[in-house]
């Protein structure tokens, strides 16, 4: 544990050193001419004398890399129970008893520290940017399911947003929704701090670290990702960075925690979509937040406003395929495409506020095929 803490301290120091070169920035006449751009964007664009747009990536960058702050391994207790997460020992191996999956051993299920990172072609850290934190469901692997079958990185890129993807491995290929270290107060904040350093490394330019360290965050959870999402919202320490929440057939519990988030959400949006598997739980959540302000129903046709709460029911859909096909093909892309204020440089004017032809029926994109 001490080694992990030391490495995390090194990551923080690295981030500080990356940022230190920006501390001496002073506005120039050219900055004043670009006043509508936000201060961090100006600082990034001018830090080393380059014009805005010269930090944009030429090709999509996607890697699966180990993190010191990953949600697993986890050696703590299960919140609200006082019971150790690893409650089984056999022949020197430690395991966890999952309510639905039985006993899973740490070395096979809860030891993967890897995180999927993806920066789409055209992403420019000198423009307003988002981080999409994707929390996968049960029986999933980052490569097989999140990257390939569900096409999550591709959906983020296809949304047209100036956004990057961060997707940690949770329980590996298991019927278990455990949140691991995301149960711990403040740990999600630490995870995102390391993500800023790792994304800057992937991007290849140290000045991008400041954008990644301050970018607003959208938490998107599918299925069993509801549990780390609920605890991340409540105890993760990221309320000041949260732009919104997207639940994709994920309301398998914790309705009260999500209701508390909605009640205090400030300007963060909340979109939940349900197949028949979670429709009743979604209705319970809608009833819990009935007094928290206007609630929208049905798919968003244009932009999603800050603070908007929207519930979508998708009858006739399959839970397993919900991330790739729900009320529309590629529902994550469809929601992200409606977030105003973060268009990629190569798509400015082409996507922001535009109507999605997949939703309106004016045209239809090719359906996603599972390999």
């Amino acid at each position: 544990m001490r080694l992990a803490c030391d490495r995390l301290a090194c990551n923080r120091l690295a981030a500080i050193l990356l940022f230190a070169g920006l501390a001496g920035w002073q506005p120039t006449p050219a900055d004043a001419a670009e006043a509508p751009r936000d201060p961090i964007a100006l600082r990034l664009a001018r830090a080393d004398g380059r014009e805005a747009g010269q930090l944009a990536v030429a090709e999509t960058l996607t890697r699966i890399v180990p993190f010191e702050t990953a949600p697993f391994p986890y050696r703590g207790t299960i919140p609200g129970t006082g019971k150790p997460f690893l409650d089984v020992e056999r022949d020197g191996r430690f395991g966890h008893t999952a309510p639905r999956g039985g006993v899973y051993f740490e070395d096979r299920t809860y030891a993967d520290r890897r995180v999927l990172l993806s920066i789409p072609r055209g992403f420019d850290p000198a423009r307003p940017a988002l981080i999409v934190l994707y929390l996968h469901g049960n029986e999933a692997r980052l490569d097989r399911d999140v990257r390939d079958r569900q096409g999550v990185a591709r959906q983020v890129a296809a949304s047209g947003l100036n956004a990057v993807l961060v997707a940690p491995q949770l329980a590996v290929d298991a019927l278990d929704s455990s949140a691991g270290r995301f149960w711990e107060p403040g740990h999600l904040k630490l995870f995102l701090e390391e993500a800023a350093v790792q994304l800057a490394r992937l991007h290849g330019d140290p000045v991008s670290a400041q954008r990644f360290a301050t970018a607003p965050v959208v938490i998107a959870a599918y299925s069993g990702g509801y549990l780390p999402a609920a605890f991340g919202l409540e105890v993760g320490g990221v309320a000041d960075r949260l732009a919104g929440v997207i639940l994709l057939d994920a309301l398998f519990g914790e309705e009260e925690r999500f209701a508390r988030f909605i009640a205090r959400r400030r300007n963060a949006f909340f979109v939940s979509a349900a197949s028949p598997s979670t429709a009743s739980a979604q209705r319970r959540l809608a009833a819990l937040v009935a007094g928290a302000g206007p609630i929208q129903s049905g798919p968003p046709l244009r932009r999603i406003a800050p603070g908007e709460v929207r519930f979508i029911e998708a009858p006739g859909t399959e839970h397993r395929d919900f991330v790739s096909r729900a009320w529309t093909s590629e529902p994550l892309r469809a929601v992200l495409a409606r977030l105003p204020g973060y268009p990629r440089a190569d798509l400015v004017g082409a996507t922001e506020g535009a109507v999605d032809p997949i939703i309106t029926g004016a045209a239809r994109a090719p359906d996603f095929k599972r390999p």
Side-chain angles (χ1 to χ4, degrees):
M1 180 63 71
R2 180 62 182 171
L3 178 59
C5 292
D6 289 343
R7 288 184 179 176
L8 178 56
C10 289
N11 282 335
R12 286 178 167 174
L13 178 59
I16 291 169
L17 291 175
L18 290 174
F19 302 159
L22 306 177
W25 172 83
Q26 295 293 328
T28 69
D31 294 334
E34 297 187 24
R37 298 172 66 84
D38 68 73
I40 291 176
L42 286 173
R43 184 172 298 194
L44 286 167
R46 301 295 181 187
D48 58 2
R50 285 177 293 179
E51 297 295 328
Q54 291 181 320
L55 296 176
V57 298
E59 298 294 339
T60 297
L61 304 170
T62 301
R63 300 286 188 277
I64 298 178
V65 300
F67 271 44
E68 290 297 333
T69 57
F72 291 100
Y74 177 65
R75 293 290 183 96
T77 59
I78 301 173
T81 68
K83 298 179 180 178
F85 176 72
L86 298 177
D87 58 351
V88 174
E89 182 179 3
R90 294 179 189 168
D91 301 324
R93 301 173 71 202
F94 293 95
H96 166 68
T97 305
R100 292 193 303 138
V103 175
Y104 292 107
F105 286 97
E106 181 184 47
D107 55 356
R108 296 191 62 180
T109 307
Y110 307 110
D112 194 338
R113 294 180 173 274
R114 297 180 305 160
V115 178
L116 172 64
L117 303 177
S118 187
I119 303 176
R121 180 179 63 82
F123 174 84
D124 186 353
R127 299 184 61 83
L130 282 174
I131 290 176
V132 178
L133 174 66
Y134 180 79
L135 302 170
H136 67 72
N138 289 182
E139 297 184 301
R141 294 177 179 269
L142 291 180
D143 50 1
R144 183 192 68 197
D145 299 290
V146 177
R147 185 191 63 195
D148 298 341
R149 180 172 65 85
Q150 297 173 336
V152 173
R154 180 170 48 78
Q155 291 195 47
V156 172
S159 73
L161 288 184
N162 198 47
V164 299
L165 171 67
V166 177
Q169 178 71 60
L170 300 167
V172 178
D173 212 4
L175 286 169
D176 186 14
S177 303
S178 294
R181 298 173 76 185
F182 288 163
W183 273 321
E184 298 175 348
H187 191 81
L188 180 55
K189 181 178 181 180
L190 296 180
F191 175 81
L192 290 172
E193 287 177 1
E194 182 177 1
V197 177
Q198 298 277 13
L199 285 164
R201 184 176 298 153
L202 177 61
H203 180 268
D205 196 313
V207 300
S208 66
Q210 188 179 18
R211 167 59 71 203
F212 295 129
T214 57
V217 177
V218 172
I219 296 179
Y222 163 66
S223 189
Y226 79 93
L227 194 57
F231 276 84
L233 292 172
E234 189 152 279
V235 303
V238 297
D240 59 333
R241 293 183 61 184
L242 199 63
V245 175
I246 303 169
L247 300 184
L248 296 173
D249 214 18
L251 276 172
F252 286 95
E254 301 296 341
E255 292 95 334
E256 292 79 9
R257 292 187 197 277
F258 288 117
R260 288 196 290 270
F261 163 75
I262 291 172
R264 64 173 188 271
R265 68 190 181 282
R266 301 177 188 172
N267 289 325
F269 70 87
F270 184 91
V271 174
S272 177
S275 77
S277 299
T278 60
S280 59
Q282 183 166 275
R283 292 178 196 133
R284 286 196 298 273
L285 177 58
L288 287 173
V289 301
I295 296 176
Q296 308 297 323
S297 61
L301 294 180
R302 292 187 180 272
R303 64 176 53 191
I304 295 173
E308 179 173 320
V309 177
R310 180 174 292 273
F311 294 106
I312 304 167
E313 289 198 18
T317 55
E318 295 292 333
H319 175 71
R320 174 177 166 76
D321 298 329
F322 204 85
V323 178
S324 54
R325 176 187 287 277
W327 70 94
T328 181
S329 296
E330 299 188 337
L332 178 60
R333 180 207 58 79
V335 175
L336 292 174
R338 283 154 181 74
L339 302 183
Y342 303 95
R344 280 206 305 276
D346 56 335
L347 298 172
V348 171
T351 59
E352 187 172 18
V355 175
D356 188 337
I358 295 177
I359 294 289
T360 62
R364 188 172 184 84
D367 293 331
F368 174 70
K369 302 293 186 182
R370 291 214 305 266

